[in-house]
Amino acid sequence: MRDTRESRLLLVLLIAVAFALITVDIRGGANSPVDGARQAAAAVFGPVENGVAAAVDPVGNAIGAVRDSGRRHDRISTLQAENEVLKQKLGSDARNRSRLNQLDSMLKTAGEGQYGIKAAQVIAIGAAQGFSWTVTIDAGSNDGIKRDMTVLNGDGLVGRVTTVGPSTATVLLANDPDFTVGTRMESSDELGFATGHGDRPLSVQLLNGKAKVNPGDRLVTFGSQADKPFVPGVPVGEVVKVDPSGGDLTRTIYVRPFVGFTKLDIVGVVVEAPRTDPRDQVLPAKPKPTPTPTVTVTATPSATPNGQGNTNIADQNANPNPNANANPPAANANPPAGNANPPAGNANPNPPDPNADPNGNANADGDQ
């Protein structure tokens, strides 16, 4: 349609009619005069609208799903990021607690032995090729660390410092085959030399071939001259096996170290030796043996006929019935008349006088 004066006038007229119908419909409410026309239009155009909606809805839903999927993906990513932060926080808290426990245990060991220590953390582990067991710590010459210093943790002897840099140092672990330390047995003071064997127990060569050693005995470091490389009294391990004595000058025992060399974290370098040898003070207290329960069975004495218990066994055996022994029954003391006085026929061999009892049963004349 061309834009003419008549077309514009028609458009304005249609708009005015539309507003008039709307006004009448609103004012009429439920009784609107156009309600019938609206229902008729709904009956005609409703099925058309449903068909169009059925055809268009899947497309609209797909578009909405694509649009919402971005928001869902962002929400999932946000939740995953929050979970990762929580996991890292929980893991960090657990590790911090573990490190605090290790530090507390090491400080306790240092305090009992009066060792001046410099705490450090294991930051690297050497390759175990050829049984080379070493670790790197984050303390060096700038922290007062020097070569041939003793390294320990809360459990006992870790090793000795071999190489020192400005901020790091290398520690040779006690289970390395090139590691040797002088040891002393708890209580017996037997001396020996311990050598590492990787992940196997340490072997200790006792100087006394006839030394009495039992599994469970414990060893500490004997100490070196001028306390380098080892200070005295550091716990080494516990005896797990003893070779039989063959009459040699030395004797070999096998010791399980107190330290777990595969899970080192916090260690301490002894920068100041104790003034006196702590001896066995640093060793942990031995666990008390669990007492074995003992069951005691007590026999209950049986009652006697007169109601008295067996309080005097000797008297009871000697005289179980004093009255029966003192005064025997009449049957024993005085036998029955039939036994004490047998019948006349048996007790009196002479026949009775026939004159004395003419009606008697025993009649010498045979008048029975």
Side-chain angles (χ1 to χ4, degrees):
M1 178 182 289
R2 293 190 306 170
D3 186 11
T4 61
R5 182 177 179 182
E6 292 79 5
S7 61
R8 288 197 298 269
L9 181 60
L10 180 60
L11 178 61
V12 172
L13 181 60
L14 293 175
I15 292 174
V17 172
F19 275 107
L21 293 175
I22 293 173
T23 302
V24 172
D25 186 30
I26 292 174
R27 289 184 176 181
N31 298 322
S32 173
V34 298
D35 186 61
R38 183 168 53 246
Q39 292 179 0
V44 174
F45 295 105
V48 178
E49 291 177 350
N50 291 334
V52 174
V56 175
D57 281 348
V59 178
N61 292 337
I63 296 173
V66 172
R67 183 177 59 253
D68 294 340
S69 65
R71 290 196 294 267
R72 292 193 186 98
H73 179 73
D74 294 340
R75 180 58 177 167
I76 291 173
S77 300
T78 302
L79 292 175
Q80 288 177 346
E82 292 176 354
N83 289 337
E84 290 298 328
V85 172
L86 291 175
K87 289 180 181 179
Q88 292 177 1
K89 185 177 179 180
L90 292 175
S92 177
D93 291 343
R95 183 179 180 186
N96 289 336
R97 286 194 297 268
S98 175
R99 295 180 65 185
L100 287 174
N101 291 335
Q102 293 180 46
L103 182 60
D104 181 70
S105 178
M106 184 180 65
L107 292 176
K108 181 180 178 181
T109 298
E112 292 175 346
Q114 298 299 309
Y115 306 123
I117 64 172
K118 174 66 178 180
Q121 182 180 359
V122 174
I123 58 176
I125 185 170
Q129 298 176 356
F131 287 102
S132 178
W133 293 77
T134 60
V135 294
T136 302
I137 59 176
D138 62 351
S141 57
N142 296 338
D143 304 294
I145 307 300
K146 298 180 181 180
R147 179 183 171 87
D148 287 337
M149 283 185 168
T150 306
V151 182
L152 52 80
N153 66 3
D155 297 323
L157 179 65
V158 173
R160 63 181 177 87
V161 178
T162 56
T163 305
V164 182
S167 59
T168 61
T170 302
V171 178
L172 183 68
L173 301 180
N175 63 338
D176 189 274
D178 293 333
F179 187 95
T180 302
V181 59
T183 60
R184 180 178 59 79
M185 295 289 300
E186 179 187 13
S187 301
S188 66
D189 293 336
E190 295 287 350
L191 302 181
F193 293 94
T195 303
H197 288 279
D199 55 358
R200 294 177 295 170
L202 309 176
S203 64
V204 180
Q205 202 78 15
L206 294 179
L207 301 182
N208 182 5
K210 298 181 180 180
K212 294 182 178 180
V213 185
N214 298 312
D217 291 345
R218 302 181 294 180
L219 296 84
V220 298
T221 56
F222 178 67
S224 306
Q225 185 176 3
D227 298 317
K228 288 184 178 296
F230 302 108
V231 294
V234 180
V236 175
E238 182 181 61
V239 177
V240 294
K241 180 182 177 182
V242 181
D243 280 350
S245 177
D248 298 332
L249 296 178
T250 60
R251 190 174 190 183
T252 303
I253 62 176
Y254 299 91
V255 175
R256 181 180 60 245
F258 290 128
V259 173
F261 297 105
T262 59
K263 52 182 180 180
L264 294 172
D265 189 9
I266 302 298
V267 297
V269 182
V270 181
V271 296
E272 183 179 354
R275 295 182 180 180
T276 59
D277 187 350
R279 306 290 292 178
D280 301 332
Q281 295 180 5
V282 187
L283 285 170
K286 287 186 175 181
K288 295 181 179 181
T290 304
T292 303
T294 303
V295 179
T296 303
V297 179
T298 304
T300 303
S302 59
T304 58
N306 56 6
Q308 297 179 353
N310 296 332
T311 57
N312 192 341
I313 298 175
D315 294 342
Q316 189 179 28
N317 292 333
N319 191 3
N321 193 345
N323 295 328
N325 291 333
N327 297 317
N332 294 331
N334 299 317
N339 295 330
N341 298 319
N346 296 330
N348 190 358
N350 297 319
D353 187 0
N355 296 322
D357 190 7
N359 296 325
N361 293 328
N363 194 333
D365 295 336
D367 292 337
Q368 295 180 353

